[in-house]
Amino acid sequence: MSDEVIRVLLADDHPVYRDGLAVLLGSLPDIEVAGTAANGLEAVEQAAYLQPDVVVMDVRMPGLDGIEATRRIAADSPHIGVVVLTMSEDDATLFAAMRAGARGYLLKGANQAEIVRAITAVAHGEAIFGPAVARRVADFFAGKAAADSVFPQLTPREREILSLIAAGRPNAHIASALFLSPKTVRNNVSNIFAKLHVADRAEAIVRAREAGLGRSETSR
């Protein structure tokens, strides 16, 4: 990375937001907008060609979504930092982005200073999250520690799905949120029921909520 200018690729399928952000960042002396992309596939191709320091990535885009685009960029060019900037507030999307290799995660309500700070931090190899996101990360790991002790027989993925079940989410929503196939979700749900020795979804929800799962999701 240049010591003076951070080269940024913007990936967002909403042209008004994408172009507005490009104008905003392009007006700053320490940031250069190297290119833009309207979907995940373009983001992967442009990242490989332009080799920016940072990609600012939306999640919900047509064709290849931002999570898979992040995963491919992180695998092909691990020196490129990805900052996810999205409207998606759910925990499943947040942690899917982290697992894919994103080093920053901001909500689109973030102000200019927060966006610039995230881009600068990620360009220098740091990881950064917006204040609201950081609180959710802390809450998640606090809850995860409790859940691990209550349901040690479940895999991390099964606990993640159980938490969404406890929040009242149907299988279709869980599949979409975790970027899984409906069949994979059904298989995991069956495994959860068997391991918890419950007969149905209602009983699983009761067990999970008694253990503290699903509450943060239902409150949103």
Side-chain angles (χ1 to χ4, degrees):
M1 184 191 74
S2 166
D3 291 334
E4 298 182 355
V5 178
I6 299 171
R7 299 177 67 250
V8 177
L9 170 65
L10 304 177
D12 196 298
D13 65 324
H14 293 92
V16 173
Y17 187 86
R18 183 181 66 242
D19 295 345
L21 187 58
V23 170
L24 172 66
L25 296 178
S27 68
L28 303 176
D30 298 331
I31 294 179
E32 172 193 340
V33 178
T36 62
N39 56 60
L41 185 58
E42 284 186 14
V44 173
E45 293 173 346
Q46 292 277 59
Y49 175 69
L50 297 171
Q51 290 294 297
D53 301 305
V54 176
V55 178
V56 177
M57 182 82 73
D58 190 15
V59 171
R60 306 295 180 186
M61 292 188 289
L64 192 71
D65 63 69
I67 300 298
E68 182 58 29
T70 296
R71 184 177 292 109
R72 294 187 188 184
I73 291 171
D76 296 341
S77 304
H79 57 282
I80 297 176
V82 177
V83 176
V84 169
L85 182 60
T86 180
M87 294 293 292
S88 300
E89 299 188 47
D90 60 283
D91 291 347
T93 302
L94 165 61
F95 291 106
M98 291 174 63
R99 285 193 298 270
R103 296 209 297 266
Y105 194 104
L106 296 176
L107 300 179
K108 283 190 173 178
N111 59 38
Q112 175 183 337
E114 290 175 317
I115 295 171
V116 172
R117 184 166 60 249
I119 290 172
T120 303
V122 169
H124 289 88
E126 301 173 28
I128 190 167
F129 304 93
V133 174
R135 284 194 296 272
R136 298 235 304 280
V137 171
D139 290 345
F140 172 84
F141 284 109
K144 182 179 183 298
D148 286 353
S149 63
V150 175
F151 300 121
Q153 69 273 43
L154 300 183
T155 66
R157 173 65 82 191
E158 289 166 351
R159 277 191 291 270
E160 193 172 27
I161 290 174
L162 178 59
S163 183
L164 290 171
I165 291 173
R169 304 295 191 262
N171 283 5
H173 174 98
I174 295 172
S176 175
L178 299 183
F179 302 93
L180 299 173
S181 71
K183 181 179 179 181
T184 297
V185 172
R186 288 196 301 271
N187 289 341
N188 275 277
V189 170
S190 295
N191 290 339
I192 291 168
F193 290 179
K195 290 180 179 181
L196 296 185
H197 304 291
V198 297
D200 54 29
R201 205 176 190 89
E203 192 175 350
I205 290 173
V206 171
R207 288 282 306 278
R209 289 186 178 176
E210 286 176 347
L213 296 183
R215 292 173 183 171
S216 62
E217 290 286 346
T218 54
S219 64
R220 282 199 289 276

mmCIF file of all heavy atoms in Angstrom, residues 6 8 10 15-33 36 56 85 106 108-117 119:
data_model
loop_
_atom_site.group_PDB
_atom_site.id
_atom_site.type_symbol
_atom_site.label_atom_id
_atom_site.label_comp_id
_atom_site.label_asym_id
_atom_site.label_seq_id
_atom_site.Cartn_x
_atom_site.Cartn_y
_atom_site.Cartn_z
ATOM 1 N N ILE A 6 -4.651 5.651 -0.098
ATOM 2 C CA ILE A 6 -5.299 4.341 0.013
ATOM 3 C C ILE A 6 -6.202 4.165 -1.199
ATOM 4 O O ILE A 6 -7.105 4.957 -1.436
ATOM 5 C CB ILE A 6 -6.130 4.255 1.300
ATOM 6 C CG1 ILE A 6 -5.242 4.430 2.530
ATOM 7 C CG2 ILE A 6 -6.863 2.907 1.372
ATOM 8 C CD1 ILE A 6 -6.022 4.584 3.827
ATOM 9 N N VAL A 8 -9.136 2.420 -3.159
ATOM 10 C CA VAL A 8 -10.367 1.773 -2.717
ATOM 11 C C VAL A 8 -11.219 1.362 -3.916
ATOM 12 O O VAL A 8 -11.359 2.122 -4.882
ATOM 13 C CB VAL A 8 -11.176 2.712 -1.800
ATOM 14 C CG1 VAL A 8 -12.497 2.059 -1.395
ATOM 15 C CG2 VAL A 8 -10.365 3.077 -0.560
ATOM 16 N N LEU A 10 -15.155 0.257 -4.702
ATOM 17 C CA LEU A 10 -16.492 0.298 -4.117
ATOM 18 C C LEU A 10 -17.409 -0.674 -4.835
ATOM 19 O O LEU A 10 -17.550 -0.610 -6.061
ATOM 20 C CB LEU A 10 -17.070 1.719 -4.232
ATOM 21 C CG LEU A 10 -16.239 2.849 -3.611
ATOM 22 C CD1 LEU A 10 -16.913 4.186 -3.883
ATOM 23 C CD2 LEU A 10 -16.063 2.627 -2.116
ATOM 24 N N PRO A 15 -26.726 2.439 -7.611
ATOM 25 C CA PRO A 15 -25.846 3.442 -8.224
ATOM 26 C C PRO A 15 -25.820 4.775 -7.492
ATOM 27 O O PRO A 15 -24.770 5.418 -7.422
ATOM 28 C CB PRO A 15 -26.410 3.599 -9.647
ATOM 29 C CG PRO A 15 -27.791 3.044 -9.596
ATOM 30 C CD PRO A 15 -27.771 1.984 -8.548
ATOM 31 N N VAL A 16 -26.947 5.211 -6.943
ATOM 32 C CA VAL A 16 -26.973 6.499 -6.255
ATOM 33 C C VAL A 16 -26.068 6.453 -5.026
ATOM 34 O O VAL A 16 -25.250 7.358 -4.798
ATOM 35 C CB VAL A 16 -28.413 6.878 -5.851
ATOM 36 C CG1 VAL A 16 -28.413 8.133 -4.981
ATOM 37 C CG2 VAL A 16 -29.272 7.102 -7.087
ATOM 38 N N TYR A 17 -26.196 5.378 -4.241
ATOM 39 C CA TYR A 17 -25.356 5.261 -3.046
ATOM 40 C C TYR A 17 -23.890 5.069 -3.444
ATOM 41 O O TYR A 17 -22.993 5.708 -2.891
ATOM 42 C CB TYR A 17 -25.816 4.080 -2.183
ATOM 43 C CG TYR A 17 -25.085 4.008 -0.858
ATOM 44 C CD1 TYR A 17 -25.534 4.728 0.239
ATOM 45 C CD2 TYR A 17 -23.928 3.244 -0.720
ATOM 46 C CE1 TYR A 17 -24.856 4.690 1.449
ATOM 47 C CE2 TYR A 17 -23.245 3.201 0.484
ATOM 48 C CZ TYR A 17 -23.712 3.925 1.559
ATOM 49 O OH TYR A 17 -23.030 3.898 2.752
ATOM 50 N N ARG A 18 -23.648 4.191 -4.420
ATOM 51 C CA ARG A 18 -22.277 3.896 -4.855
ATOM 52 C C ARG A 18 -21.584 5.145 -5.388
ATOM 53 O O ARG A 18 -20.456 5.461 -5.004
ATOM 54 C CB ARG A 18 -22.305 2.808 -5.921
ATOM 55 C CG ARG A 18 -20.917 2.371 -6.403
ATOM 56 C CD ARG A 18 -21.043 1.299 -7.478
ATOM 57 N NE ARG A 18 -21.652 1.788 -8.707
ATOM 58 C CZ ARG A 18 -22.782 1.343 -9.219
ATOM 59 N NH1 ARG A 18 -23.465 0.389 -8.625
ATOM 60 N NH2 ARG A 18 -23.264 1.853 -10.347
ATOM 61 N N ASP A 19 -22.285 5.877 -6.261
ATOM 62 C CA ASP A 19 -21.685 7.068 -6.855
ATOM 63 C C ASP A 19 -21.509 8.174 -5.815
ATOM 64 O O ASP A 19 -20.523 8.922 -5.852
ATOM 65 C CB ASP A 19 -22.537 7.565 -8.020
ATOM 66 C CG ASP A 19 -22.588 6.567 -9.178
ATOM 67 O OD1 ASP A 19 -21.736 5.646 -9.186
ATOM 68 O OD2 ASP A 19 -23.462 6.708 -10.046
ATOM 69 N N GLY A 20 -22.456 8.282 -4.904
ATOM 70 C CA GLY A 20 -22.333 9.286 -3.849
ATOM 71 C C GLY A 20 -21.135 9.014 -2.960
ATOM 72 O O GLY A 20 -20.391 9.937 -2.590
ATOM 73 N N LEU A 21 -20.942 7.734 -2.615
ATOM 74 C CA LEU A 21 -19.805 7.369 -1.785
ATOM 75 C C LEU A 21 -18.494 7.593 -2.538
ATOM 76 O O LEU A 21 -17.490 8.019 -1.956
ATOM 77 C CB LEU A 21 -19.924 5.901 -1.351
ATOM 78 C CG LEU A 21 -18.897 5.395 -0.337
ATOM 79 C CD1 LEU A 21 -18.932 6.222 0.940
ATOM 80 C CD2 LEU A 21 -19.154 3.921 -0.021
ATOM 81 N N ALA A 22 -18.509 7.334 -3.847
ATOM 82 C CA ALA A 22 -17.312 7.548 -4.664
ATOM 83 C C ALA A 22 -16.927 9.020 -4.670
ATOM 84 O O ALA A 22 -15.738 9.374 -4.549
ATOM 85 C CB ALA A 22 -17.541 7.054 -6.089
ATOM 86 N N VAL A 23 -17.915 9.906 -4.807
ATOM 87 C CA VAL A 23 -17.647 11.341 -4.789
ATOM 88 C C VAL A 23 -17.112 11.768 -3.425
ATOM 89 O O VAL A 23 -16.145 12.531 -3.320
ATOM 90 C CB VAL A 23 -18.917 12.139 -5.146
ATOM 91 C CG1 VAL A 23 -18.708 13.633 -4.899
ATOM 92 C CG2 VAL A 23 -19.318 11.895 -6.591
ATOM 93 N N LEU A 24 -17.736 11.245 -2.367
ATOM 94 C CA LEU A 24 -17.329 11.586 -1.013
ATOM 95 C C LEU A 24 -15.887 11.174 -0.739
ATOM 96 O O LEU A 24 -15.055 11.987 -0.305
ATOM 97 C CB LEU A 24 -18.267 10.905 -0.007
ATOM 98 C CG LEU A 24 -17.868 10.995 1.470
ATOM 99 C CD1 LEU A 24 -17.930 12.431 1.946
ATOM 100 C CD2 LEU A 24 -18.773 10.109 2.316
ATOM 101 N N LEU A 25 -15.581 9.913 -1.021
ATOM 102 C CA LEU A 25 -14.237 9.418 -0.742
ATOM 103 C C LEU A 25 -13.209 10.031 -1.682
ATOM 104 O O LEU A 25 -12.068 10.301 -1.296
ATOM 105 C CB LEU A 25 -14.211 7.894 -0.840
ATOM 106 C CG LEU A 25 -15.060 7.142 0.184
ATOM 107 C CD1 LEU A 25 -14.980 5.638 -0.060
ATOM 108 C CD2 LEU A 25 -14.606 7.466 1.612
ATOM 109 N N GLY A 26 -13.626 10.248 -2.936
ATOM 110 C CA GLY A 26 -12.706 10.820 -3.912
ATOM 111 C C GLY A 26 -12.301 12.248 -3.600
ATOM 112 O O GLY A 26 -11.295 12.742 -4.125
ATOM 113 N N SER A 27 -13.077 12.917 -2.758
ATOM 114 C CA SER A 27 -12.757 14.293 -2.396
ATOM 115 C C SER A 27 -11.715 14.373 -1.284
ATOM 116 O O SER A 27 -11.223 15.468 -0.971
ATOM 117 C CB SER A 27 -14.031 15.025 -1.945
ATOM 118 O OG SER A 27 -14.502 14.499 -0.702
ATOM 119 N N LEU A 28 -11.378 13.226 -0.708
ATOM 120 C CA LEU A 28 -10.421 13.209 0.398
ATOM 121 C C LEU A 28 -8.999 13.042 -0.128
ATOM 122 O O LEU A 28 -8.764 12.269 -1.068
ATOM 123 C CB LEU A 28 -10.766 12.071 1.362
ATOM 124 C CG LEU A 28 -12.189 12.124 1.951
ATOM 125 C CD1 LEU A 28 -12.457 10.896 2.806
ATOM 126 C CD2 LEU A 28 -12.392 13.395 2.764
ATOM 127 N N PRO A 29 -8.033 13.736 0.469
ATOM 128 C CA PRO A 29 -6.665 13.709 -0.066
ATOM 129 C C PRO A 29 -5.953 12.374 0.084
ATOM 130 O O PRO A 29 -5.054 12.069 -0.699
ATOM 131 C CB PRO A 29 -5.959 14.804 0.743
ATOM 132 C CG PRO A 29 -6.757 14.912 2.014
ATOM 133 C CD PRO A 29 -8.169 14.644 1.623
ATOM 134 N N ASP A 30 -6.351 11.563 1.058
ATOM 135 C CA ASP A 30 -5.618 10.329 1.341
ATOM 136 C C ASP A 30 -6.278 9.082 0.757
ATOM 137 O O ASP A 30 -5.824 7.967 1.008
ATOM 138 C CB ASP A 30 -5.446 10.143 2.856
ATOM 139 C CG ASP A 30 -4.637 11.267 3.480
ATOM 140 O OD1 ASP A 30 -3.787 11.840 2.760
ATOM 141 O OD2 ASP A 30 -4.859 11.576 4.661
ATOM 142 N N ILE A 31 -7.375 9.260 0.017
ATOM 143 C CA ILE A 31 -8.090 8.114 -0.555
ATOM 144 C C ILE A 31 -8.292 8.323 -2.050
ATOM 145 O O ILE A 31 -8.680 9.397 -2.498
ATOM 146 C CB ILE A 31 -9.452 7.900 0.142
ATOM 147 C CG1 ILE A 31 -9.239 7.503 1.607
ATOM 148 C CG2 ILE A 31 -10.276 6.830 -0.583
ATOM 149 C CD1 ILE A 31 -10.524 7.293 2.390
ATOM 150 N N GLU A 32 -8.032 7.274 -2.822
ATOM 151 C CA GLU A 32 -8.290 7.283 -4.262
ATOM 152 C C GLU A 32 -9.291 6.183 -4.577
ATOM 153 O O GLU A 32 -9.101 5.028 -4.184
ATOM 154 C CB GLU A 32 -6.996 7.018 -5.042
ATOM 155 C CG GLU A 32 -7.213 6.816 -6.531
ATOM 156 C CD GLU A 32 -5.989 6.252 -7.233
ATOM 157 O OE1 GLU A 32 -4.877 6.361 -6.672
ATOM 158 O OE2 GLU A 32 -6.152 5.663 -8.320
ATOM 159 N N VAL A 33 -10.392 6.527 -5.246
ATOM 160 C CA VAL A 33 -11.356 5.523 -5.677
ATOM 161 C C VAL A 33 -10.814 4.897 -6.963
ATOM 162 O O VAL A 33 -10.856 5.502 -8.030
ATOM 163 C CB VAL A 33 -12.748 6.129 -5.895
ATOM 164 C CG1 VAL A 33 -13.711 5.054 -6.397
ATOM 165 C CG2 VAL A 33 -13.272 6.740 -4.597
ATOM 166 N N THR A 36 -15.239 0.974 -9.346
ATOM 167 C CA THR A 36 -16.516 0.617 -8.742
ATOM 168 C C THR A 36 -17.034 -0.660 -9.375
ATOM 169 O O THR A 36 -16.642 -1.031 -10.483
ATOM 170 C CB THR A 36 -17.566 1.737 -8.935
ATOM 171 O OG1 THR A 36 -17.809 1.930 -10.330
ATOM 172 C CG2 THR A 36 -17.097 3.044 -8.302
ATOM 173 N N VAL A 56 -14.702 -1.818 -0.375
ATOM 174 C CA VAL A 56 -15.888 -1.521 0.435
ATOM 175 C C VAL A 56 -17.039 -2.279 -0.207
ATOM 176 O O VAL A 56 -17.422 -2.011 -1.345
ATOM 177 C CB VAL A 56 -16.170 -0.012 0.484
ATOM 178 C CG1 VAL A 56 -17.455 0.261 1.273
ATOM 179 C CG2 VAL A 56 -15.000 0.726 1.120
ATOM 180 N N LEU A 85 -20.041 -2.771 4.107
ATOM 181 C CA LEU A 85 -20.872 -1.607 4.411
ATOM 182 C C LEU A 85 -22.274 -1.924 3.906
ATOM 183 O O LEU A 85 -22.511 -1.959 2.703
ATOM 184 C CB LEU A 85 -20.309 -0.361 3.718
ATOM 185 C CG LEU A 85 -21.026 0.971 3.971
ATOM 186 C CD1 LEU A 85 -21.029 1.317 5.447
ATOM 187 C CD2 LEU A 85 -20.374 2.088 3.167
ATOM 188 N N LEU A 106 -19.564 -2.255 8.808
ATOM 189 C CA LEU A 106 -20.286 -1.049 9.189
ATOM 190 C C LEU A 106 -21.689 -1.092 8.616
ATOM 191 O O LEU A 106 -21.929 -1.681 7.562
ATOM 192 C CB LEU A 106 -19.586 0.200 8.640
ATOM 193 C CG LEU A 106 -18.177 0.540 9.141
ATOM 194 C CD1 LEU A 106 -17.664 1.758 8.391
ATOM 195 C CD2 LEU A 106 -18.180 0.803 10.634
ATOM 196 N N LYS A 108 -24.911 1.018 6.956
ATOM 197 C CA LYS A 108 -24.954 2.149 6.037
ATOM 198 C C LYS A 108 -25.364 3.460 6.691
ATOM 199 O O LYS A 108 -25.279 4.511 6.078
ATOM 200 C CB LYS A 108 -25.856 1.824 4.844
ATOM 201 C CG LYS A 108 -25.169 0.914 3.835
ATOM 202 C CD LYS A 108 -25.952 0.779 2.555
ATOM 203 C CE LYS A 108 -25.162 0.005 1.513
ATOM 204 N NZ LYS A 108 -25.911 -0.204 0.263
ATOM 205 N N GLY A 109 -25.772 3.400 7.939
ATOM 206 C CA GLY A 109 -26.039 4.638 8.673
ATOM 207 C C GLY A 109 -24.776 5.276 9.227
ATOM 208 O O GLY A 109 -24.834 6.362 9.818
ATOM 209 N N ALA A 110 -23.625 4.631 9.027
ATOM 210 C CA ALA A 110 -22.358 5.168 9.541
ATOM 211 C C ALA A 110 -22.064 6.514 8.893
ATOM 212 O O ALA A 110 -22.365 6.739 7.717
ATOM 213 C CB ALA A 110 -21.227 4.191 9.266
ATOM 214 N N ASN A 111 -21.455 7.421 9.654
ATOM 215 C CA ASN A 111 -21.126 8.725 9.092
ATOM 216 C C ASN A 111 -19.782 8.684 8.364
ATOM 217 O O ASN A 111 -19.087 7.668 8.377
ATOM 218 C CB ASN A 111 -21.127 9.811 10.180
ATOM 219 C CG ASN A 111 -20.126 9.524 11.298
ATOM 220 O OD1 ASN A 111 -19.029 9.025 11.049
ATOM 221 N ND2 ASN A 111 -20.500 9.859 12.524
ATOM 222 N N GLN A 112 -19.426 9.802 7.737
ATOM 223 C CA GLN A 112 -18.209 9.860 6.930
ATOM 224 C C GLN A 112 -16.973 9.512 7.748
ATOM 225 O O GLN A 112 -16.107 8.758 7.285
ATOM 226 C CB GLN A 112 -18.050 11.252 6.327
ATOM 227 C CG GLN A 112 -16.735 11.440 5.567
ATOM 228 C CD GLN A 112 -16.566 12.853 5.032
ATOM 229 O OE1 GLN A 112 -17.536 13.571 4.841
ATOM 230 N NE2 GLN A 112 -15.326 13.252 4.792
ATOM 231 N N ALA A 113 -16.891 10.046 8.961
ATOM 232 C CA ALA A 113 -15.709 9.805 9.784
ATOM 233 C C ALA A 113 -15.551 8.318 10.101
ATOM 234 O O ALA A 113 -14.430 7.786 10.079
ATOM 235 C CB ALA A 113 -15.800 10.619 11.077
ATOM 236 N N GLU A 114 -16.670 7.628 10.383
ATOM 237 C CA GLU A 114 -16.607 6.200 10.696
ATOM 238 C C GLU A 114 -16.165 5.390 9.484
ATOM 239 O O GLU A 114 -15.364 4.455 9.611
ATOM 240 C CB GLU A 114 -17.974 5.710 11.179
ATOM 241 C CG GLU A 114 -18.372 6.221 12.553
ATOM 242 C CD GLU A 114 -19.778 5.812 12.935
ATOM 243 O OE1 GLU A 114 -20.683 5.882 12.083
ATOM 244 O OE2 GLU A 114 -19.975 5.420 14.103
ATOM 245 N N ILE A 115 -16.677 5.755 8.298
ATOM 246 C CA ILE A 115 -16.310 5.023 7.080
ATOM 247 C C ILE A 115 -14.832 5.210 6.770
ATOM 248 O O ILE A 115 -14.109 4.249 6.484
ATOM 249 C CB ILE A 115 -17.181 5.483 5.897
ATOM 250 C CG1 ILE A 115 -18.651 5.106 6.138
ATOM 251 C CG2 ILE A 115 -16.688 4.856 4.598
ATOM 252 C CD1 ILE A 115 -19.611 5.699 5.124
ATOM 253 N N VAL A 116 -14.368 6.460 6.849
ATOM 254 C CA VAL A 116 -12.956 6.739 6.567
ATOM 255 C C VAL A 116 -12.058 6.052 7.584
ATOM 256 O O VAL A 116 -11.013 5.481 7.233
ATOM 257 C CB VAL A 116 -12.702 8.262 6.556
ATOM 258 C CG1 VAL A 116 -11.205 8.555 6.452
ATOM 259 C CG2 VAL A 116 -13.445 8.910 5.395
ATOM 260 N N ARG A 117 -12.455 6.075 8.841
ATOM 261 C CA ARG A 117 -11.660 5.424 9.882
ATOM 262 C C ARG A 117 -11.556 3.923 9.631
ATOM 263 O O ARG A 117 -10.490 3.322 9.783
ATOM 264 C CB ARG A 117 -12.267 5.693 11.262
ATOM 265 C CG ARG A 117 -11.443 5.120 12.425
ATOM 266 C CD ARG A 117 -11.886 5.685 13.756
ATOM 267 N NE ARG A 117 -13.278 5.401 14.060
ATOM 268 C CZ ARG A 117 -14.240 6.325 14.092
ATOM 269 N NH1 ARG A 117 -13.950 7.587 13.814
ATOM 270 N NH2 ARG A 117 -15.480 5.996 14.386
ATOM 271 N N ILE A 119 -11.880 2.324 6.679
ATOM 272 C CA ILE A 119 -11.045 2.085 5.494
ATOM 273 C C ILE A 119 -9.567 2.226 5.843
ATOM 274 O O ILE A 119 -8.739 1.394 5.453
ATOM 275 C CB ILE A 119 -11.431 3.071 4.365
ATOM 276 C CG1 ILE A 119 -12.813 2.723 3.808
ATOM 277 C CG2 ILE A 119 -10.388 3.067 3.251
ATOM 278 C CD1 ILE A 119 -13.366 3.747 2.834
#
